[in-house]
């Protein structure tokens, strides 16, 4: 192609010098909420003790409201919205961006929130395998009317390293386990409180028990396509999500706002610790 | 339930008087981009000649960045992000909101952008049937590990009315046709310019030809679940999307920004005209 327009980032190979802008990126952190990814960029700015004011960090995608993107030294922080289709658009354009910028040996993290399966709220789940609603470690993608199946294995070494670092930090209870990725937050995750619900509490609990037996420790909405696309494109990838509630105990997220905010910082702290270790800032 | 927390709207039945806030809503317009839905709210404010300054319209969901919501007289304007999972979360909470607010006879419109199938860029497609990647007028939802199939028929009268009104307005070339809803923007829509692509130009064109033969006039990423959920919940619904390009001619959206902006206003103008007719503001 003569020109590649990364439409949903409002960036392009003719309008932007992507190698100059992004060539030194070594870590990419993605998460659903634009505000959270801005906070994460500011947090990383402080953690890496970079010069300048963290509050001045500019949204590289400010020409569009589809995604937000912040660059802090070797770390890129990008929002992806909610659900597999939303993150898949972002990943296509991110992977093309890293290619155009000639980045090498990038590690990518999804830091997010999730519903816990048998874990107390506030637990950080480092994903072993991302599984679908049938507990299979695969992602189905329809291409030209045919179903293609891709593996959703993540990088084992990065996951183990994250688990080890979690024990070095205070107040980040962490486990490694499978993460179930659904395409709906209500019916699709067995919630009884959606606008539609066609099952009983007992049927819901039975499904959650089966998920638990299959090694599922949390439920979110992006991990399968994230794992599948990163794997096909040879990007080392990890999924680190905090649980906001224990789904065996309820469906509604009624935890106070300040407690939720503290929970959401846990994956950020863990991944920041990983990045500082890899940059040799801490031993 | 004693309390219903509409988590992704940052609203709840205990913290907000939903009947007082939303009881008079008669039209809901939803679209992907938060900025576009704010612009639409301001546009409707002018069109309905309401008192006050359109620039002062406040985001009702300002406590969260998951969705944006604006209320202008009897019109609610809500963003839904990109893809089926993202709009489905919003619809669950919107339908619960309308229920708690005791709204009656609401008509809901999705106004969006899309890729055209054999139509010149800038054409407005009013959806007859929303179809999946296999051209079937159905939406598959996984509930507790079982696949449930729902019909994606939309309101025929509303669609015909919209088509008629389009002929009364200048510069809104419109057709009624089927809309294909995919779960991916690149491979899923047969684009050759994604980070991954495993097919040839000829295979892509063959798929688009089959889609065209099945009555598909445009491709987007939300219509099937929108149609299915509105139908089950007895909401009259229509999908009105402008095409940004003709997919037989290319994949990249390289049209100048100002032309894209003008295209995006076409579904807004058409739906605003519909609302004004129904409110008796024009004959």
């Amino acid at each position: 192609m003569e020109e590649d327009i990364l439409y949903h980032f409002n960036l392009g190979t003719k309008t932007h010098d992507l190698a100059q802008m992004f060539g030194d990126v070594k870590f990419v952190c993605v998460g659903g909420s634009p505000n959270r990814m801005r906070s994460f960029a500011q947090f990383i700015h402080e953690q890496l003790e970079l010069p300048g004011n963290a509050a001045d960090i500019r949204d590289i995608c400010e020409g569009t409201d589809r995604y937000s993107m912040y660059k802090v030294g070797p770390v890129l922080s990008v929002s992806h919205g909610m659900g597999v289709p939303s993150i898949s658009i972002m990943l296509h354009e991110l992977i093309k961006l890293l290619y155009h910028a000639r980045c090498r040996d990038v590690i990518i993290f999804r830091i997010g929130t999730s519903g816990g399966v048998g874990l107390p709220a506030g637990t950080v789940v480092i994903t072993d395998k991302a599984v679908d609603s049938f507990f299979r470690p695969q992602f189905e993608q329809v291409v030209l009317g045919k179903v293609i199946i891709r593996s959703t294995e993540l990088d084992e070494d990065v996951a183990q390293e994250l688990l080890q670092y979690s024990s070095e930090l205070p107040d980040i209870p962490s486990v490694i386990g499978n993460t179930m990725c659904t395409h709906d937050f209500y019916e699709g995750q067995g919630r009884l409180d959606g606008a539609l619900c066609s099952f009983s509490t007992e049927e819901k609990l039975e499904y959650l028990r089966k998920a638990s037996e299959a090694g599922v420790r949390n439920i979110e909405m992006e991990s399968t396509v994230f794992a599948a696309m990163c794997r096909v494109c040879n990007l080392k990838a990890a999924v680190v999500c905090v649980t906001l509630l224990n789904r065996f105990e309820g469906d509604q997220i009624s935890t106070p706002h300040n407690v939720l905010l503290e929970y959401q910082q846990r994956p950020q702290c863990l991944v920041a610790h990983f990045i500082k270790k890899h940059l040799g800032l801490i031993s």
Side-chain angles (χ1 to χ4, degrees), chain A:
Chain A
M1 283 189 294
E2 198 196 338
E3 179 179 14
D4 190 8
I5 298 170
L6 308 175
Y7 176 70
H8 301 86
F9 285 160
N10 201 32
L11 296 173
T13 51
K14 268 196 176 170
T15 46
H16 299 80
D17 183 346
L18 299 177
Q20 190 267 323
M21 290 172 73
F22 299 104
D24 62 339
V25 168
K26 289 292 173 196
F27 305 95
V28 180
C29 300
V30 304
S33 147
N35 288 346
R36 181 148 42 78
M37 298 322 289
R38 187 181 56 228
S39 300
F40 178 71
Q42 290 169 347
F43 175 64
I44 280 286
H45 188 277
E46 289 161 18
Q47 291 287 307
L48 302 188
E49 297 179 21
L50 293 175
N53 190 340
D56 295 340
I57 296 174
R58 194 178 66 88
D59 182 359
I60 297 170
C61 299
E62 64 189 353
T64 172
D65 61 353
R66 299 300 190 171
Y67 302 108
S68 291
M69 181 189 289
Y70 302 90
K71 184 173 178 301
V72 181
V75 181
L76 200 62
S77 177
V78 195
S79 73
H80 58 57
M82 289 186 287
V84 159
S86 186
I87 194 176
S88 90
I89 297 174
M90 191 281 288
L91 286 174
H92 271 284
E93 300 188 10
L94 174 69
I95 291 166
K96 292 203 289 179
L97 182 154
L98 297 174
Y99 170 81
H100 292 308
R102 293 187 285 277
C103 297
R104 290 279 173 275
D105 304 320
V106 170
I107 305 179
I108 181 165
F109 302 89
R110 163 163 149 68
I111 49 177
T113 57
S114 61
V117 178
L119 298 171
T123 307
V124 171
V125 179
I126 301 158
T127 304
D128 178 10
K129 285 189 291 251
V131 302
D132 66 12
S133 302
F134 308 97
F135 320 134
R136 303 173 301 193
Q138 65 182 49
F139 175 66
E140 289 187 359
Q141 162 93 47
V142 183
V143 179
L144 306 186
K146 293 190 190 79
V147 178
I148 287 179
I149 291 172
R150 292 189 174 131
S151 163
T152 54
E153 275 178 56
L154 291 152
D155 193 277
E156 266 184 51
D157 295 338
V158 174
Q160 284 297 338
E161 225 178 302
L162 284 164
L163 185 67
Q164 186 198 312
Y165 296 157
S166 74
S167 66
E168 299 173 8
L169 292 165
D171 296 326
I172 308 198
S174 304
V175 298
I176 286 187
N178 292 345
T179 295
M180 179 162 73
C181 174
T182 69
H183 300 306
D184 179 62
F185 183 80
Y186 288 95
E187 294 177 286
Q189 297 189 3
R191 276 190 164 80
L192 300 158
D193 63 336
L196 301 168
C197 180
S198 54
F199 47 86
S200 68
T201 304
E202 190 37 57
E203 288 169 317
K204 163 200 157 173
L205 293 174
E206 177 62 24
Y207 183 63
L208 290 180
R209 275 193 293 270
K210 281 186 195 159
S212 180
E213 282 163 21
V216 171
R217 294 294 167 263
N218 65 338
I219 311 176
E220 45 79 272
M221 299 181 67
E222 294 87 14
S223 59
T224 49
V225 74
F226 174 82
M229 285 185 68
C230 292
R231 192 179 162 83
V232 174
C233 296
N234 282 314
L235 276 172
K236 279 192 185 185
V239 178
V240 186
C241 290
V242 71
T243 61
L244 300 183
L245 76 169
N246 179 359
R247 288 297 315 291
F248 280 111
E249 292 169 6
D251 296 330
Q252 292 238 319
I253 302 166
S254 54
T255 308
H257 192 65
N258 59 327
V259 177
L260 289 179
L261 277 184
E262 195 271 306
Y263 287 170
Q264 290 178 22
Q265 281 159 6
R266 293 178 179 184
Q268 300 187 14
C269 291
L270 183 52
V271 168
H273 194 73
F274 183 104
I275 290 172
K276 282 159 72 182
K277 286 264 189 182
H278 276 245
L279 291 175
L281 297 177
I282 48 176
S283 58

